[in-house]
Every structure is written in C-alpha cells, then in structure tokens.
Amino acid sequence: MKNSALYIHIPFCDHKCIYCDFYSIITTDNIQSFLSALKKEIEYFSKLYSKDRSFTSIFFGGGTPSLMQPDYLQEILNHLKKNFKIYEKAEVTMETNPGTVNKSKLKKFKEAGINRISIGIQSFDEEELKFLTRIHDKKTAIQTVYNAADIGFENISVDLIFNLPNQRKEKWIRNLETAITLPIKHISTYSLILERGTILNKLVLDKKVTMQDNDYDADLYETTIDFLVSNGFYQYEVSNFTKPGFECVHNNAYWRYKDYLSLGTSSHSFVDGKRWWNYSSLKKYISEIEINNHAIMNSEIISKEQMHDEYVMLALRSSGLDLDDYKKRFSNNWIKKNYSYFELLKNEQHLSVDDNWIKLTPKGYAVCDEILKNIL
C-alpha cells in the first residue's frame, strides 16, 4: 500500500493580490457547478488510484479555500473519504486568509475535519499589507491566529514574505518577532518574486516599483534562518521552519518525491512516474469533466534522468539526501562522480554528511540553487 497525498484547488477569491500568479477568480458564479464537477473528478480518479494506496494528507489550496462555507469543504471531504482510503489521522490543511474567517467559522471548519490551518499573513506591517493589496490589517492577522488557537487548532502555520521594495532589515525582523510571539508551530517565509502576468510585474516593467537586488535578498534570507533557528524553530526545507513534530506532512510528500493526486482547476498530479495537469479556466474545467469525467490538459512520462534530477533537487532543498533510499532508486555512479565536490562543500560548511545522509547547512540553503546547478 503506497502512501500518497491529495491536493484540492479551490479557485475562488474575493480579491487578486498584486504578486499572486496562482489560478483564481473573483466571482461567486459556478461555486455549486465546481463542486459537482469536483465530485465527478474524485469518482473518476478513485477508480484508478484507490486500490493500491492510502492518503496521509489532504491540502485545500487556492484561491482562498477559507472563503467557502465550512459545509462546502465538509462535503468535499466526505466525498474523498467515501471514494479513497484516507488515513484515519490524516493531516487536513486549509489555506486561510485573515479577513475571511471569524472564530465561529473557524470552529465549523474544525468540526468539518480541518486539523491544520495555514494562514496567509505575509506581513504584520500596515504599509506592507497595503502594498501587497492584502484585505486584512495587522490586528485582524493576529486575531485570526489567536482565534484558531482558542477553538483548538494545535497545528497552525503562517506565511510571511520578505524583500519587499524598500524593506529594511529591521522591519523584516519585526515581522519575525511578532510571528514567534503567536501560538504557531510552523512558519513559511518566501522572498517576493516577480511572476509573469502579475500586477506587480507590470508595475516593475512600468518602472513604478523597483525590486531590491539579489545580494540584499540573500542577506535577509540568512537573517531569517539565524533568527528562527535561534528562537526554537528548525529548518526542514529552504522556505520552511517548524517546531519539532510539526513538519507539514503534505509538503513533505512533494519534497520526498512521493506520489500526489491533485484535483480541481489548474492542479498538477504526479503518480507512478507520470505527471499531468488540469485546465486552469473554471468553465473549461467544468465542461471537460462533463464530457470526459476529468479535466486533464496535458501529461508527460518522467524519464529516468529527469526523475533522478528532480529527486536530488527536492531532497537537497528539504531534509536531505537519504543515500540508502537513493541507492535503491538509482545507481551509485552520480554519488561517486560528485564525491569530491561534496567534500569541498563539506569543508566550506555548506553541507553535512551524517549517518548516510547528505544535508545542506543553513549556509548551504542560502546558495542552494548554485549548488544544484553544479551537480545536476
């Protein structure tokens, strides 16, 4: 029985933030039509992938899943449990935006089966929140975390973004200082990245906004690692920090190269060495499912070489390369070929080699892309 992960993309949003390139739509149209289509998609894939695997995590992403009513997500969860083997203690995460939930609604989400909350705060600074066009303020962000804790969510994560235009290190540290005072177990920190098609990208192209340089970005990143590690969190992936025992089960499935089945608009799946992705357009997604019971836009079979490089990249970005598992999957030639480079990185304190594991140090995480470029 294989352990796998389930992802559900909820495309609905009440607002499009300037930096976001995920598929989302600002409308209440087709909410029920999407639910009907999603149920059909669940039934279609359950016939293919329910016999030989159980699912240890379910992740509602988006869009803004917390914009939905709790019984909407509960209906999806019930249908998943009816059609798939869901581990009894599966991690069930919902991405949540402050401003879309109050204490009562959070309580109903918990009763519906959500047991992990990922709150997209991004900043505790009022000016930065306005720049990012978030719908909440600092007070609402903090209150959302406390509300979740008060009604019994033990596993709470927050997202923060650094390296905003003109952001000084002191302001970023204040964001981190505020975060660690809250009853959270997990922090995801992301550098602000320009994505094609976003409002932010157009502002930069029009010279209305100037991004900060890569060296400053790297300095803020190293500051982030030092601060969070010295305050009781440990880094288990390039962008993710956790209290012991609260690593994200779902994201670890990606980073440890396990199978994941994704449903809903624009979602990407990876099962048995095959990758496929759905249409993004909600109307196209619904019409394709009406015709085919699925909405696959395209697919690819992963070559052995591609599988190797993806496996190494994901392992080194996260908890490290397990050499025993690596040797079961691939030959030892690549390790031998890069052995001298690994020794160099070890001497430079960019990585450690312990108990048959190769793992990047905080110093190594800071130059992760460069290291991967040299070995893959």
Side-chain angles (χ1 to χ4, degrees):
M1 185 75 69
K2 286 184 178 180
N3 287 338
S4 306
L6 269 167
Y7 174 82
I8 309 294
H9 188 86
I10 305 291
F12 305 104
C13 258
D14 60 354
H15 168 76
K16 189 77 172 178
C17 296
I18 64 167
Y19 57 88
C20 179
D21 73 327
F22 292 108
Y23 177 70
S24 62
I25 52 173
I26 307 165
T27 179
T28 55
D29 295 342
N30 289 317
I31 285 179
Q32 289 306 314
S33 299
F34 172 74
L35 180 59
S36 298
L38 182 63
K39 285 182 172 180
K40 284 185 183 178
E41 190 183 20
I42 289 169
E43 290 161 12
Y44 173 81
F45 282 105
S46 73
K47 293 180 176 70
L48 299 175
Y49 298 118
S50 64
K51 291 179 181 178
D52 64 340
R53 66 189 64 237
S54 63
F55 292 88
T56 57
S57 67
I58 301 169
F59 194 105
F60 288 97
T64 309
S66 59
L67 194 62
M68 302 293 98
Q69 291 305 310
D71 58 2
Y72 190 92
L73 294 196
Q74 185 167 35
E75 196 168 338
I76 297 170
L77 277 171
N78 289 343
H79 209 62
L80 289 171
K81 290 173 182 177
K82 180 181 174 183
N83 286 275
F84 292 104
K85 294 184 181 75
I86 308 296
Y87 178 52
E88 186 181 351
K89 295 181 179 179
E91 175 192 271
V92 184
T93 301
M94 177 182 69
E95 288 185 341
T96 307
N97 279 354
T100 64
V101 287
N102 55 25
K103 200 169 187 177
S104 172
K105 192 176 182 184
L106 282 170
K107 188 171 186 291
K108 289 175 183 175
F109 276 127
K110 189 171 186 297
E111 291 166 352
I114 306 296
N115 56 36
R116 182 177 184 271
I117 295 281
S118 177
I119 304 174
I121 290 172
Q122 316 312 357
S123 177
F124 293 102
D125 181 87
E126 303 294 3
E127 288 183 3
E128 292 183 347
L129 288 169
K130 286 177 184 175
F131 171 76
L132 294 169
T133 62
R134 302 297 286 168
I135 64 169
H136 64 273
D137 57 16
K138 175 182 178 178
K139 182 180 177 182
T140 305
I142 291 172
Q143 191 60 54
T144 300
V145 177
Y146 280 115
N147 284 345
D150 287 347
I151 58 99
F153 279 105
E154 187 182 1
N155 198 345
I156 302 172
S157 177
V158 298
D159 289 358
L160 297 174
I161 297 177
F162 64 89
N163 203 27
L164 277 63
N166 302 315
Q167 184 186 56
R168 296 295 92 200
K169 186 184 289 186
E170 295 74 23
K171 185 176 279 192
W172 172 238
I173 290 173
R174 283 200 296 274
N175 275 320
L176 294 172
E177 287 172 339
T178 303
I180 65 167
T181 66
L182 301 175
I184 62 173
K185 297 295 195 297
H186 188 281
I187 302 180
S188 298
T189 62
Y190 303 103
S191 171
L192 183 64
I193 294 174
L194 281 182
E195 301 286 1
R196 288 180 62 187
T198 62
I199 300 166
L200 178 60
N201 192 52
K202 186 174 189 314
L203 289 171
V204 171
L205 290 173
D206 291 344
K207 301 192 184 314
K208 293 178 180 177
V209 170
T210 302
M211 300 294 287
Q212 307 203 88
D213 63 35
N214 291 336
D215 288 341
Y216 187 68
D217 182 77
D219 184 34
L220 288 179
Y221 178 60
E222 290 186 41
T223 298
T224 305
I225 297 172
D226 292 342
F227 181 90
L228 291 175
V229 169
S230 66
N231 280 280
F233 290 82
Y234 79 89
Q235 186 176 21
Y236 72 105
E237 195 269 343
V238 166
S239 302
N240 287 271
F241 304 80
T242 185
K243 294 288 181 71
F246 289 90
E247 292 183 13
C248 179
V249 173
H250 187 83
N251 286 342
N252 267 341
Y254 299 150
W255 298 323
R256 292 172 185 170
Y257 215 52
K258 292 182 178 178
D259 289 354
Y260 52 90
L261 179 62
S262 301
L263 308 166
T265 50
S266 73
S267 59
H268 285 60
S269 298
F270 175 64
V271 181
D272 294 336
K274 181 181 179 181
R275 185 175 285 122
W276 65 89
W277 48 98
N278 280 354
Y279 286 98
S280 292
S281 161
L282 177 58
K283 289 183 179 178
K284 181 68 171 172
Y285 168 83
I286 292 169
S287 67
E288 286 293 313
I289 286 181
E290 285 175 355
I291 298 165
N292 302 311
N293 294 315
H294 67 76
I296 298 172
M297 178 182 173
N298 213 334
S299 65
E300 62 176 339
I301 303 295
I302 310 301
S303 69
K304 194 73 175 175
E305 183 180 18
Q306 187 180 354
M307 195 173 287
H308 172 272
D309 287 358
E310 289 179 358
Y311 176 89
V312 171
M313 180 269 291
L314 291 167
L316 289 180
R317 273 185 59 94
S318 55
S319 54
L321 191 63
D322 179 348
L323 294 180
D324 288 334
D325 184 61
Y326 175 89
K327 289 166 188 174
K328 287 176 189 173
R329 293 171 179 257
F330 311 102
S331 75
N332 205 26
N333 293 338
W334 179 83
I335 299 291
K336 291 177 180 175
K337 178 184 172 184
N338 287 284
Y339 186 78
S340 60
Y341 183 57
F342 287 141
E343 282 294 307
L344 175 65
L345 292 173
K346 184 180 176 182
N347 292 335
E348 293 175 343
Q349 298 182 321
H350 284 109
L351 61 76
S352 62
V353 182
D354 299 305
D355 299 324
N356 240 15
W357 280 78
I358 296 176
K359 180 173 172 48
L360 293 181
T361 62
K363 186 178 177 183
Y365 276 133
V367 289
C368 179
D369 290 344
E370 184 181 337
I371 291 171
L372 291 170
K373 184 180 177 182
N374 289 336
I375 60 177
L376 297 178

